Amino acid sequence: MGIGGALSEGVLKKIVLSYTYVAIWIFLSFTVIVYNKYILDRKMYNWPYPISLTMIHMSFCSSLAFLLVRVFKVVEPVTMSWDLYLKSVVPIGLLYSLSLWLSNSAYIYLSVSFIQMLKALMPVAVYSIGVLSKKEIFKSETMTNMISISIGVGIAAYGEAKFDTWGVMLQLGAVAFEATRLVMIQILLTSKGITLNPITSLYYVAPCCLIFLFVPWVFVEYPLLTETSSFHFDYLIFGTNSLCAFALNLAVFLLVGKTSALTMNVAGVVKDWLLIAFSWSVIKDTVTPINLFGYALAFLGVAYYNHAKLQALKVKEAQKKAQQPDEEAGRLLEEREGENNGSRKNELQD
């Protein structure tokens, strides 16, 4: 009874912690998205400078990541040569900077709810790029599911009350760059045995993102900012916004480390529905029945995709467990053969 009670108490504690990590991640992700919308939207805080905002985030995050890695030594840095950094991390930093720039720019033109609907195309983009780069195996069943997600997003776009072509192009570009980044991480880092958690990722990637963003900022936003003489840097707004962005990365570190990346994907779906509800009820964005029908169709496709990935992971785990006894038996057989050969040699010498 005591052992069973202790076991159930341990399991219950693990479940509570897992849900706590999920809740923290959803809250922070929700906060960062709504906060960015508030800053960039011309009808709200009215500071439509997405490159500048992203550069503020990267400066803040790279500084804190440096402190955590080098000063406080919360996480260990990854052993990496300059050659590997230039060939692997820098291309990923370029893709990340473009993804953040375009996704933040989309908040100026599109509603929060519609952006979340367009983000449902992420599995489609990741799978398509994975197949083209030969990191994913083409399966007609998976591709059919990807088409259903795309149709759902297309219906949602058709029903969008405030459709903006430029905003949609920006968000689709952000999805494409982010999907390419995720695939490139597999090709350039994971395949070489290098794993970066969100903290070490910011430590290595954020500085080169800052450099890449500086180039378009000089030509696109710097002239506009110099003309706006009335602007004064609001340390409270931008400081808390950057802190939320960094805290979100810490939450990803906790969530993936204590649960799994798949859990984060499932939690992401919950967050998207909450954002759509918030966008409609609080920000007063128009959400039409066609919007909801299209996104519901895309949601079912994404849910099925996550379910298929979970089943594939279970099969892999089962295969690993099945191979372990065979490997152990083979090792024991080799040891016995070695012992027998040794005893035979001794008999011959006698």
Side-chain angles (χ1 to χ4, degrees), residues 91-106:
I92 290 166
L94 174 61
L95 291 166
Y96 193 38
S97 60
L98 290 169
S99 171
L100 291 172
W101 173 15
L102 296 184
S103 63
N104 281 333
S105 299

Side-chain angles (χ1 to χ4, degrees), residues 12 112 131 217:
L12 181 64
V112 170
V131 169
W217 178 78

Side-chain angles (χ1 to χ4, degrees), residues 49-83:
Y49 304 106
I51 306 175
S52 301
L53 183 63
T54 309
M55 287 178 71
I56 292 168
H57 288 174
M58 290 296 104
S59 301
F60 187 88
C61 289
S62 58
S63 301
L64 281 186
F66 178 83
L67 290 173
L68 289 175
V69 174
R70 290 296 181 185
V71 180
F72 300 110
K73 300 187 186 299
V74 176
V75 291
E76 287 293 321
V78 177
T79 305
M80 190 180 298
S81 65
W82 272 105
D83 183 63

Side-chain angles (χ1 to χ4, degrees), residues 249-268:
N249 281 279
L250 285 178
V252 172
F253 177 61
L254 284 172
L255 184 60
V256 176
K258 301 297 180 181
T259 57
S260 68
L262 191 63
T263 302
M264 195 175 80
N265 288 341
V266 175

Side-chain angles (χ1 to χ4, degrees), residues 152-350:
V153 173
I155 293 170
Y158 176 76
E160 176 60 21
K162 296 178 181 178
F163 186 91
D164 186 284
T165 306
W166 179 239
V168 171
M169 288 173 66
L170 288 169
Q171 186 55 49
L172 292 179
V175 168
F177 282 122
E178 179 63 10
T180 308
R181 183 184 76 90
L182 294 173
V183 174
M184 291 302 285
I185 286 173
Q186 287 184 308
I187 295 170
L188 298 176
L189 294 177
T190 310
S191 61
K192 296 174 183 175
I194 297 171
T195 305
L196 298 177
N197 62 50
I199 308 303
T200 51
S201 180
L202 283 176
Y203 174 74
Y204 289 108
V205 175
C208 61
C209 276
L210 196 57
I211 293 167
F212 282 126
L213 288 166
F214 181 77
V215 178
W217 178 78
V218 168
F219 296 102
V220 178
E221 292 187 3
Y222 177 70
L224 296 173
L225 285 166
T226 52
E227 289 173 11
T228 313
S229 56
S230 60
F231 173 73
H232 299 285
F233 190 85
D234 193 327
Y235 287 95
L236 179 63
I237 291 289
F238 293 105
T240 52
N241 180 244
S242 298
L243 187 62
C244 287
F246 185 77
L248 176 60
N249 281 279
L250 285 178
V252 172
F253 177 61
L254 284 172
L255 184 60
V256 176
K258 301 297 180 181
T259 57
S260 68
L262 191 63
T263 302
M264 195 175 80
N265 288 341
V266 175
V269 173
V270 176
K271 176 208 71 179
D272 290 344
W273 279 109
L274 288 173
L275 278 167
I276 290 168
F278 180 86
S279 178
W280 171 72
S281 60
V282 178
I283 304 177
K284 302 299 180 184
D285 287 330
T286 304
V287 179
T288 66
I290 298 174
N291 267 149
L292 292 175
F293 173 74
Y295 183 65
L297 184 62
F299 161 75
L300 291 173
V302 173
Y304 180 78
Y305 175 72
N306 287 330
H307 172 73
K309 283 180 72 177
L310 178 61
Q311 295 305 313
L313 285 171
K314 285 181 178 179
V315 169
K316 278 187 179 179
E317 287 296 321
Q319 287 174 348
K320 282 182 183 178
K321 287 179 181 178
Q323 285 172 359
Q324 284 174 356
D326 293 339
E327 289 172 1
E328 186 67 21
R331 188 177 63 79
L332 290 170
L333 187 61
E334 285 175 6
E335 286 177 1
R336 286 177 184 173
E337 285 177 356
E339 289 172 2
N340 291 335
N341 290 334
S343 61
R344 283 173 188 169
K345 283 179 183 178
N346 290 334
E347 285 174 6
L348 289 170
Q349 286 173 359
D350 293 340

Side-chain angles (χ1 to χ4, degrees), residues 113-130:
S113 57
F114 187 43
I115 285 173
Q116 300 315 120
M117 294 176 189
L118 290 173
K119 283 182 180 178
L121 287 170
M122 185 62 73
V124 180
V126 171
Y127 180 72
S128 301
I129 294 167

Side-chain angles (χ1 to χ4, degrees), residues 21-42:
Y21 294 136
V22 168
I24 291 169
W25 179 81
I26 288 175
F27 172 75
L28 287 170
S29 182
F30 183 99
T31 303
V32 169
I33 289 169
V34 173
Y35 212 157
N36 286 353
K37 173 67 176 177
Y38 167 74
I39 290 171
L40 294 165
D41 197 302
R42 289 188 172 90

